[in-house]
Amino acid sequence: MPRIEHVAVTPVAFRDPPLLNAAGVHEPWCLRSIIEVTIEGGITGLGETYGDDGIRRCLEAAAPALIGLDVSDLAGMERAAQAACGATTISAKESSSRTGQDMLVARVFGAFEVAATDALARHLNLPVASLLGGQVRESIPFAAYLFYKFERHRFDPSIPADPWGEALTPEGVVEQARRMVALHGFRSLKLKAGVLEPEAEVEALLALRAAFPDAPLRIDPNCAWHVHTTLKLLPKMLPVLEYLEDPVPGITPMAAVQAACPIPLATNMCVVAWAHLAPAIRQDAVRVILSDHHYWGGLRASRELARICAVWGLGLSMHSNSHLGISLAAMAHLAAATPNLTYDCDTHYPWLEDDLIEGGKLPITDGALRLPPGPGLGVTLDRAKLAAMHEDWRRCGIRKRDDGTEMRKYQPDWQDKRPRW
């Protein structure tokens, strides 16, 4: 196999709408890191991951240690990630939920694993899905990801009003859903909750059911509710939900809700590392895992997670955060090679204004994405857009996502005290 000759890590920033969640509101700029792994013969594979300074510095520290490795030497790449994470001091200012020591190595290694897999697949003239066991579906179904949101970022006059407008009422959420469905043909709908009073959010859920009587629905309070609040709301929610995502924080509270709930609970918050699986399964805390190759350690680790879910009878889908087309392509190849993908995947991609891949944004039509054609992930960097987004990163001044600090610009007395209800 060819060896790795060069590794580049480029931080970028792109516009993010003022989407609300239990932690606050998205900042005007989203940060990502773009990974390029070039192998003998001049082939370059791409990866994309978080852009917070703590993770970025670990990526940059690990990159030189990958040079000279066989492109298929994943164990060597993981050792390089372990060494870099162990030697990198992440300050309190840089630390975040993404930099916890139990998950940091997987997040750094996973970024390189995707890029190396893309390079190897290009070398072999195969799609990435072929290296993950083979393609089992032609297109990947996604759900419309609905948010409460402000009309605009109010504290940067250079940012125009968001074309999606405000959504703070059931009517606003339904209108947002209608537009998402009209643009992309989504069949499933997900509402990000944990923002307003829970009863108001359930009313929005019921309004979505009235407007879309046949659409599978899900709601995600991001652990902002108490157990007793969730149990009180279950009678209203049960008739309309396919699953309930992370209503309460922690495996044991989730188990208490699942014991009283005939529909599945889903999570991307209390089961996010291998050590969480055994206690969650033992306590029957969740019945759907929302995987994410960015923090489970890459594509192959996520396929291993899928196999565990199949063995234990757990449902499986995919979690999303604000991302670009490289991540979407990686999600799609992973989903295409995962037989037991039981629910439509999440994606923030429709909220993205522009991409840094050649040809612009990948099309989601009829609620699904077909794999980009060509070997590897099927996407190529637009060098001019990469340079522009890197310049935006340099100028924006944001170095760690912090929805809570951004929210306090809007509401100075706002505090993140989850669970609040």
Side-chain angles (χ1 to χ4, degrees):
M1 289 293 177
R3 296 187 176 275
I4 296 172
E5 291 189 328
H6 181 69
V7 180
V9 178
T10 306
V12 299
F14 58 89
R15 293 292 191 193
D16 215 8
L19 307 177
L20 294 160
N21 55 50
V25 59
H26 286 208
E27 295 173 297
W29 296 96
C30 177
L31 308 178
R32 300 293 274 180
S33 297
I34 304 302
I35 315 301
E36 298 176 75
V37 170
T38 302
I39 60 175
E40 292 170 329
I43 292 174
T44 297
L46 302 177
E48 174 194 335
T49 191
Y50 308 106
D52 305 53
D53 264 3
I55 289 182
R56 178 185 59 80
R57 292 200 301 109
C58 289
L59 291 166
E60 292 174 346
L66 270 60
I67 295 171
L69 292 179
D70 186 303
V71 70
S72 64
D73 184 4
L74 299 182
M77 294 178 207
E78 188 164 17
R79 287 193 297 271
Q82 289 171 338
C85 292
T88 302
T89 300
I90 298 176
S91 68
K93 185 178 180 180
E94 294 172 324
S95 66
S96 69
S97 61
R98 300 183 176 97
T99 57
Q101 285 302 311
D102 58 337
M103 295 176 285
L104 183 58
V105 171
R107 295 180 180 207
V108 171
F109 163 66
F112 293 122
E113 186 255 14
V114 172
T117 303
D118 183 31
L120 178 57
R122 291 174 190 268
H123 169 73
L124 297 172
N125 198 32
L126 294 171
V128 162
S130 294
L131 301 187
L132 302 177
Q135 190 170 338
V136 297
R137 57 179 55 83
E138 292 297 319
S139 60
I140 315 306
F142 286 92
Y145 207 154
L146 311 175
F147 283 83
Y148 292 105
K149 63 185 297 294
F150 295 138
E151 180 182 12
R152 64 183 302 152
H153 288 290
R154 303 174 194 169
F155 304 98
D156 186 341
S158 69
I159 303 176
D162 182 65
W164 285 84
E166 183 180 85
L168 294 172
T169 64
E171 296 77 15
V173 169
V174 168
E175 177 56 32
Q176 184 185 111
R178 291 190 193 280
R179 185 173 176 185
M180 281 272 186
V181 170
L183 287 172
H184 301 289
F186 292 116
R187 313 292 175 85
S188 303
L189 308 174
K190 170 177 173 173
L191 176 61
K192 177 68 78 176
V195 176
L196 307 178
E197 293 288 335
E199 290 80 2
E201 295 178 336
V202 172
E203 289 306 310
L205 192 67
L206 298 178
L208 286 169
R209 169 53 70 232
F212 301 91
D214 299 319
L217 299 181
R218 55 190 81 156
I219 188 170
D220 174 18
N222 271 147
C223 301
W225 297 351
H226 284 286
V227 170
H228 62 79
T229 300
T230 307
L231 297 179
K232 182 180 72 172
L233 294 173
L234 278 181
K236 283 188 176 181
M237 294 190 294
L238 288 177
V240 303
L241 287 180
E242 63 171 346
Y243 64 66
L244 173 59
E245 180 180 342
D246 284 313
V248 296
I251 289 173
T252 298
M254 287 282 282
V257 174
Q258 184 67 86
C261 187
I263 65 170
L265 295 191
T267 188
N268 74 279
M269 297 187 73
C270 72
V271 181
V272 295
W274 300 107
H276 303 157
L277 280 166
I281 292 170
R282 190 180 303 117
Q283 296 183 48
D284 188 23
V286 297
R287 295 177 185 169
V288 180
I289 302 294
L290 303 178
S291 71
D292 187 326
H293 71 270
H294 299 92
Y295 59 65
W296 279 94
L299 302 173
R300 291 167 182 81
S302 297
R303 280 289 284 115
E304 184 177 351
L305 174 65
R307 193 177 302 276
I308 292 171
C309 288
V311 168
W312 288 96
L314 298 174
L316 180 70
S317 187
M318 286 189 186
H319 162 259
S320 166
N321 216 313
S322 298
H323 61 84
L324 295 160
I326 299 170
S327 278
L328 183 63
M331 290 174 67
H333 278 268
L334 174 60
T338 302
N340 56 313
L341 190 72
T342 44
Y343 297 93
D344 294 355
C345 301
D346 294 345
T347 182
H348 286 61
Y349 199 66
W351 294 104
L352 179 67
E353 292 180 4
D354 195 12
D355 210 337
L356 47 59
I357 56 176
E358 289 184 355
K361 291 180 63 177
L362 298 172
I364 298 175
T365 56
D366 295 327
L369 174 70
R370 297 184 70 86
L371 291 187
L377 293 175
V379 297
T380 305
L381 280 175
D382 182 317
R383 290 286 165 186
K385 290 182 178 179
L386 175 67
M389 287 190 183
H390 176 63
E391 181 64 15
D392 286 336
W393 171 82
R394 193 182 67 81
R395 294 186 178 206
C396 75
I398 296 172
R399 292 296 178 264
K400 180 186 78 171
R401 176 172 167 174
D402 189 346
D403 293 357
T405 295
E406 182 70 11
M407 188 65 168
R408 280 184 278 277
K409 295 179 183 178
Y410 295 82
Q411 299 177 19
D413 61 345
W414 185 88
Q415 294 291 327
D416 180 10
K417 296 179 179 177
R418 293 181 294 169
R420 298 196 296 274
W421 292 287

